[in-house]
Amino acid sequence: MTDIAPAPAKPQATRSYAKLAADESREDYSLRYAPHSFRRWGPGTVAGTALGGIAYLADFAIGASIVFAYGFTSGAAAILAAAVVIFLTGIPIARACATYGLDMDLVTRGAGFGYFGSTLTSLIYASFTFIFFALEGSIMAQAMHQAVGLPLEVGYLLTTLVVIPIVFKGMGALAKVQAWTQPVWLIGLVLPFVVLAFEAPDAWGAFAGFGGTQGAGSGFSWIGFGFGTGIALSLIAQIGEQADYLRFMPAKTPANSRKWNLAVLAAGPGWVIIGAAKQLGGAFLAFVALEAVGTTHALEPIAPQIEALRPWLGGLALPAAALFVIVSQIKINVTNAYSGSLSWSNFFSRVTHRHPGRVWYIFLNLGIALTLMELNMFAMLGKLLGFYSNVGIAWIAAVAADLVINKRLGLSPPYIEFKRAYLHAVNPAGFGAMVIASTVSILAFFGLFGTHAEAFSTFIAAGLALLLCPLIAWMTRGKYYLARPNTVNGPDVEVEDVTATHVCAVCETAYELPDIADCPVQAGPICSLCCSLDATCGDVCRKGATGGGAVILPMPSVRPARPL
């Protein structure tokens, strides 16, 4: 061990977190590593909860809008192509989150973006959650308007307020809601297609020859395929919401290895298999209802549901469809609100060095979403999602490139380092790749490079991010991944050492080893959140490492953790 250089600042006073921030039963380790002692759910429970969060009906509206605009052939090809891209990029991210107990923001920090570099991605992710909350809320408000005549403006407010008590209580409440509502959702999802199989058996054949409502034609079009894929790829950031559940996956052991792998695959990238099926199914339901309800209402999931159920349920079709839509939207919007509170917490903790608690950011996220609903963002669905996907895919592709390419080539550390004490502020490998890729693709999206580049702007974003992330890491020799080596809890720590707890010198609370850093200012261990919130230390630990080797501190106060 080496001695620690004299610290230029005095240790700060003991920190006491606000009541809501200190209550981990509500806070859910929102800015931290999820400790093994908190991961009390089995792989099946975590996977079921994560998949319960993809009950949303925006897939129906997105699929219908793509097929209506570009025809069945181009639209279906676009939906399937986007699903392949989302699935492949989601695999390494899901495994990293489940293995290391980290959410998407913390994985992004260590996967090529740096401590402040991932601040921008926190905003990207936050925007995903409130954009899709607004879309889902609009669909729910449409259902209530059609079912009981509730004004849309009142419906928007009600859909926002109803999720607050659930999201306020955290993962425990979310798991119960997803489990209790799953049977109703599954019946509501399948029943319309069963009815149509008996009542309109020729509809699928007619749907396969559908040329859209805007004159696209039934044949394949590369332009339509490109634009359609861009819209569908706006869902790529959904892996972040899946990660918010996957971080609670129990440790992988020889006994649960198979179940663990299947659960991570299903709850991580596996969501898009169901998602793509829902997009195609939603487009089909909208096509069948098109003549009866018109183009505008066909794009609103409630109307096609009613038309599909009417032959069997008659007057009960409306309340049955409304119940399905409301249950679906509550299931997804509790996830949107929960994930949004996590991303905003991550953003503001780094910018302001304050953390009042995750639950306060629920209101910020929902306030933005409500504003978007009141502005009728549902009417701008295609353009909004097409633009967003350029940024989202550049981010996700850069993270996936680091996990799959850089780590295997030794260009980045073999594990995910998320703590401020060991990270550079910005890592050009991932952050630079994302900024360049998204900038070029957005310029293409606005037509600067011609029609074909505009249509395939998301492919440009993905390709550049995948290429630039390893290239920049190679050019910089990976030196921006770690500001100093982590000799306390790096990649070689044994499982029993990982689960041992250590008392933070600042908040005097015990945390498992991966959440702890050695701090020269405190002359002792410091938890990751206290380290993030310190505004006076001047990053002494990292500056000291740059000048002459790692700062290493023996870790006191070791005590056994709860067994795995």
Side-chain angles (χ1 to χ4, degrees):
M1 295 185 180
T2 60
D3 294 329
I4 296 175
K10 293 182 179 180
Q12 65 186 68
T14 299
R15 173 182 284 113
S16 295
Y17 287 102
K19 182 178 180 181
L20 291 176
D23 182 1
E24 293 297 353
S25 66
R26 298 179 190 273
E27 187 69 1
D28 281 350
Y29 295 88
S30 61
L31 302 181
R32 302 181 182 275
Y33 154 86
H36 290 281
S37 60
F38 191 74
R39 302 184 215 175
R40 56 183 179 269
W41 301 276
T45 301
V46 175
T49 303
L51 289 174
I54 65 164
Y56 53 86
L57 296 184
D59 268 339
F60 281 47
I62 290 171
S65 67
I66 293 172
V67 173
F68 276 28
Y70 307 112
F72 172 81
T73 304
S74 300
I79 290 169
L80 295 176
V84 171
V85 173
I86 292 172
F87 188 87
L88 293 177
T89 55
I91 292 174
I93 294 173
R95 292 186 66 85
C97 292
T99 299
Y100 295 103
L102 305 176
D103 66 18
M104 190 66 202
D105 180 79
L106 300 185
V107 167
T108 300
R109 285 188 199 177
F113 281 72
Y115 182 72
F116 277 108
S118 63
T119 304
L120 177 59
T121 64
S122 292
L123 288 179
I124 296 171
Y125 184 31
S127 65
F128 174 85
T129 64
F130 62 65
I131 286 173
F132 277 89
F133 187 103
L135 287 176
E136 307 298 348
S138 297
I139 292 170
M140 184 173 169
Q142 292 161 4
M144 292 189 293
H145 174 71
Q146 193 149 347
V148 297
L150 188 72
L152 285 175
E153 294 75 12
V154 178
Y156 296 150
L157 179 61
L158 184 59
T159 62
T160 302
L161 295 177
V162 72
V163 304
I164 293 176
I166 303 169
V167 181
F168 196 86
K169 294 182 179 179
M171 175 66 178
L174 266 64
K176 291 177 182 178
V177 168
Q178 299 297 3
W180 292 343
T181 56
Q182 201 74 342
V184 174
W185 179 75
L186 286 172
I187 294 171
L189 178 68
V190 173
L191 186 58
F193 299 99
V194 174
V195 174
L196 290 176
F198 285 94
E199 300 296 330
D202 298 329
W204 277 109
F207 180 51
F210 181 51
T213 58
Q214 301 175 25
S218 58
F220 180 80
S221 164
W222 281 107
I223 297 295
F225 170 75
F227 279 121
T229 305
I231 295 172
L233 279 174
S234 63
L235 292 164
I236 197 167
Q238 176 65 32
I239 190 62
E241 296 198 347
Q242 304 307 113
D244 289 337
Y245 294 110
L246 285 170
R247 66 197 176 104
F248 298 122
M249 192 69 70
K252 183 179 179 182
T253 65
N256 73 0
S257 177
R258 183 176 180 181
K259 184 181 291 186
W260 191 94
N261 286 326
L262 288 174
V264 171
L265 189 66
W271 77 266
V272 78
I273 298 175
I274 302 172
K278 286 163 57 188
Q279 288 176 49
L280 291 171
F284 173 65
L285 293 180
F287 165 75
V288 173
L290 180 60
E291 185 175 345
V293 303
T295 302
T296 300
H297 290 299
L299 293 174
E300 301 171 355
I302 179 66
Q305 287 281 327
I306 294 171
E307 293 302 313
L309 295 174
R310 199 184 301 278
W312 283 13
L313 300 185
L316 294 177
L318 173 57
L323 176 63
F324 169 66
V325 172
I326 291 171
V327 168
S328 299
Q329 302 317 91
I330 290 176
K331 283 170 72 67
I332 179 55
N333 267 352
V334 294
T335 299
N336 282 327
Y338 178 73
S339 295
S341 70
L342 297 180
S343 57
W344 284 118
S345 295
N346 275 297
F347 173 77
F348 281 108
S349 68
R350 273 168 288 176
V351 174
T352 66
H353 295 284
R354 295 179 181 276
H355 181 57
R358 171 190 67 83
V359 296
W360 292 108
Y361 295 111
I362 297 171
F363 301 101
L364 171 63
N365 209 53
L366 296 187
I368 297 173
L370 178 60
T371 301
L372 291 176
M373 283 189 277
E374 298 291 354
L375 293 175
N376 192 25
M377 67 163 292
F378 191 84
M380 303 178 289
L381 180 65
K383 272 293 182 184
L384 178 66
L385 298 184
F387 172 80
Y388 177 84
S389 64
N390 288 278
V391 182
I393 195 171
W395 165 36
I396 298 298
V399 173
D402 177 83
L403 296 173
V404 174
I405 301 173
N406 294 7
K407 292 194 181 307
R408 294 191 179 187
L409 295 180
L411 298 173
S412 67
Y415 71 108
I416 305 294
E417 181 54 75
F418 68 95
K419 295 180 287 296
R420 172 190 178 188
Y422 303 107
L423 294 175
H424 286 283
V426 175
N427 185 342
F431 182 77
M434 183 197 73
V435 170
I436 295 171
S438 58
T439 300
V440 173
S441 65
I442 288 172
L443 293 176
F445 176 78
F446 284 109
L448 189 64
F449 307 126
T451 304
H452 283 82
E454 179 182 355
F456 286 88
S457 62
T458 50
F459 287 87
I460 293 173
L464 282 176
L466 287 170
L467 174 66
L468 290 174
C469 183
L471 179 61
I472 297 172
W474 173 76
M475 291 174 63
T476 58
R477 299 182 179 179
K479 67 179 182 179
Y480 291 101
Y481 279 90
L482 294 177
R484 61 176 175 127
N486 182 351
T487 57
V488 174
N489 49 25
D492 300 324
V493 178
E494 299 294 332
V495 173
E496 56 268 25
D497 294 328
V498 168
T499 57
T501 58
H502 304 264
V503 177
C504 173
V506 179
C507 66
E508 298 182 344
T509 304
Y511 293 99
E512 289 182 10
L513 186 57
D515 203 50
I516 293 291
D518 53 312
C519 178
V521 173
Q522 297 299 328
I526 187 171
C527 71
S528 62
L529 184 53
C530 285
C531 181
S532 291
L533 300 181
D534 195 330
T536 62
C537 69
D539 293 321
V540 172
C541 57
R542 295 185 296 184
K543 293 176 182 177
T546 303
V551 179
I552 305 172
L553 185 70
M555 302 300 293
S557 307
V558 180
R559 55 184 176 142
R562 190 178 304 175
L564 288 172

